[in-house]
Amino acid sequence: MSKRQWRGWFMDMAIFFGCDSAFQVGTAVQSGRQALLRKDPAQALPHFEHAARKDPDYIYRSAHFSEGIWTYVGRCQYATGNFSLAQQSLELALTKDQDDLLARLYLGLTLLRSGNESRGKTELQNALQNLHVWIEYILTSRSAEAYCDPTQQIRSEIKKTLALMTASNDDRTQILTNAEWLGAEVEEEIERVRREESQRTG
């Protein structure tokens, strides 16, 4: 085999294994997301950890929303009670993308659960405010996609939670409950919009 043939063969193999690795990561993320949507973070976590090891810079993109692989890892660690690891994963997610809204939301939750009230509230407030802005932006800039949060339930819950956080006698338990619901509901909404977009374009 000539040098040129060898070079071509190695390039073909590199492309093949690169595509195979990307397929494995995508499959792992989808498996993790499905488990997360079933509210089974313990089952979802190994899938996301596998994807993070294969591609630590992986970003899931759907319905004009992006979420880094470390956000998914951190969310599952939070949901399974490992707040120390969750904080590390979510802070790593934010070093890769400062605009990862769910990373910031779950970082705020993690900090509050860990007793860091001041920073936790700040992160959570920022996440909720920006999440509301993002939904409004989608609705005003993309008229064909008015099905995003059609009942305004997500935006209504964001407003209620922000009001609770600024009240003099804020109800910490209710704030945590509301924010956890919002985190899960946003993922549900992303999936619902993804399905509707597929039906429209399929």
Side-chain angles (χ1 to χ4, degrees), residues 14-30 50-55 58-60:
I15 292 169
F16 171 78
F17 285 112
C19 291
D20 184 56
S21 178
F23 176 77
Q24 288 181 27
V25 170
T27 300
V29 170
Q30 285 301 335
H50 174 73
R53 285 193 297 271
K54 288 276 188 181
D55 184 358
Y58 180 88
I59 297 175
Y60 175 79

Side-chain angles (χ1 to χ4, degrees), residues 33-102:
R33 288 190 72 248
Q34 291 308 309
L36 201 58
L37 290 165
R38 293 194 304 270
K39 305 190 187 311
D40 192 347
Q43 185 180 9
L45 182 56
H47 294 293
F48 292 134
E49 288 177 327
H50 174 73
R53 285 193 297 271
K54 288 276 188 181
D55 184 358
D57 295 321
Y58 180 88
I59 297 175
Y60 175 79
R61 301 183 192 279
S62 180
H64 318 292
F65 195 88
S66 61
E67 190 171 347
I69 188 60
W70 292 105
T71 303
Y72 280 115
V73 172
R75 289 175 61 179
C76 292
Q77 290 166 334
Y78 169 84
T80 53
N82 198 332
F83 302 134
S84 177
L85 282 180
Q87 182 175 342
Q88 292 176 38
S89 297
L90 294 164
E91 287 179 336
L92 177 57
L94 288 168
T95 66
K96 295 177 179 294
D97 181 7
Q98 283 289 311
D99 296 323
D100 190 326
L101 297 178
L102 288 184

